Amino acid sequence: MLLIFTGLPLSIAGEETMEREAADCRYSSGAERPEHAASWRSHPLPNDDVFSPLLADPKQPRFFASYQATRARDVGRSVAIASVGFGENFGLWGRREEGSCNGFQVGILAGVFSQFNLDAPSFDLLNSDFTIGLPFSWRQGPFSTRVRLYHQSSHLGDELLLGNPGINRLNLSFEELEALLSLDSPGGWGRVYAGGGYLLHRDPASLDRAKVQWGVELRGPTWHWARLEQAVKGSLAMTPIFGADFKSFEEQGWTVNTSVMGGLEWWGTQATRRFRMLLNYYRGFNPYGQFFSQKVETFGLGLYLAF
């Protein structure tokens, strides 16, 4: 079947593409479990995961750069911000049912999230959050879960401190135990997830400990852009994607923080790397650093890389 997309022929992938895509368990529902009993195999240093990374969570460790038109709702001030992130969930060891994505995995996660004030003459660094932790993931058919224990510490930028000598700096750091349960739709076109977290240790000690989190993700049909594939001399697929993530913290009186992302994802059908261009919208309390009591609303566009 051919569609016309901005004047270029576009084909919708069939079963063959879906089978190739299933090789990466981050983007598979696990429904390809064999009917007969299969053996289990160990996987040292796996290149994927049995739990799909959260698309719309602003604190998901990944590589990205985005422009954010940000409005501080409590003071009515607007500012342009560049938000960047560097990080990944790195698998150390897993065990899976041969021929499917069923199994479990342990790994290590690390991430850095930084924000820069684009309205300042030198693009001042506002804040950086550093995270490191140990995730455990498990999948059985359409059900998957992620449990992780991680540490976060936050640091204000030097330019922000020099330009605002009266700022009340907090030494924000904590360790959180978090668990999420996810359910994939038949065929892998969508998922819902829910869970929560609890701060085991926190500084300042007055922080309330609990949070809840839930969300939904949708994946559209896979498209092949024939002329673009001819230009790059390889198989290149494109998929529209959408995600909405919601968090509610005891510290913030259980107010719901909403993060929505949607756009296009490209990948080579024989590779695990993915490139995304996403529009994003956020409304709630600032998700970064010691600004967690600041109400913000942001709208932007970002580039996201998945390895």
Side-chain angles (χ1 to χ4, degrees), residues 73-257:
R73 295 159 50 210
D74 40 8
V75 297
R77 179 187 174 190
S78 297
V79 62
I81 289 179
S83 181
V84 300
F86 307 93
E88 191 56 85
N89 182 62
F90 186 86
L92 296 177
W93 181 80
R95 187 168 175 81
R96 299 184 191 175
E97 187 179 24
E98 190 172 5
S100 82
C101 291
N102 296 332
F104 62 88
Q105 180 172 309
V106 293
I108 185 170
L109 68 88
V112 180
F113 305 89
S114 297
Q115 303 82 49
F116 297 86
N117 181 3
L118 296 181
D119 290 340
S122 60
F123 298 163
D124 295 352
L125 173 64
L126 301 176
N127 172 81
S128 291
D129 292 341
F130 298 84
T131 61
I132 187 168
L134 299 172
F136 170 84
S137 54
W138 168 88
R139 174 178 289 278
Q140 181 65 43
F143 293 96
S144 61
T145 188
R146 183 187 72 189
V147 179
R148 62 180 187 173
L149 174 64
Y150 73 97
H151 166 83
Q152 175 181 308
S153 62
S154 301
H155 305 271
L156 296 179
D158 291 340
E159 296 93 340
L160 179 66
L161 292 172
L162 291 173
N164 300 271
I167 194 170
N168 181 25
R169 178 184 175 275
L170 293 180
N171 182 33
L172 178 67
S173 67
F174 58 83
E175 286 79 46
E176 182 179 43
L177 181 63
E178 177 192 84
L180 293 172
L181 178 64
S182 174
L183 172 62
D184 294 327
S185 65
W189 55 264
R191 74 189 289 209
V192 293
Y193 60 86
Y198 189 81
L199 300 183
L200 302 179
H201 173 268
R202 73 272 197 225
D203 184 10
S206 59
L207 289 176
D208 291 321
R209 296 179 184 267
K211 81 170 183 186
V212 293
Q213 181 177 4
W214 66 99
V216 60
E217 295 176 6
L218 301 173
R219 299 183 64 84
T222 299
W223 298 332
H224 284 271
W225 214 334
R227 294 184 183 176
L228 182 58
E229 288 183 322
Q230 291 175 1
V232 300
K233 302 187 186 306
S235 181
L236 186 65
M238 178 174 65
T239 300
I241 56 177
F242 171 84
D245 181 82
F246 307 94
K247 291 181 183 179
S248 184
F249 296 85
E250 182 183 6
E251 174 67 23
Q252 299 165 350
W254 300 112
T255 299
V256 177
N257 303 295

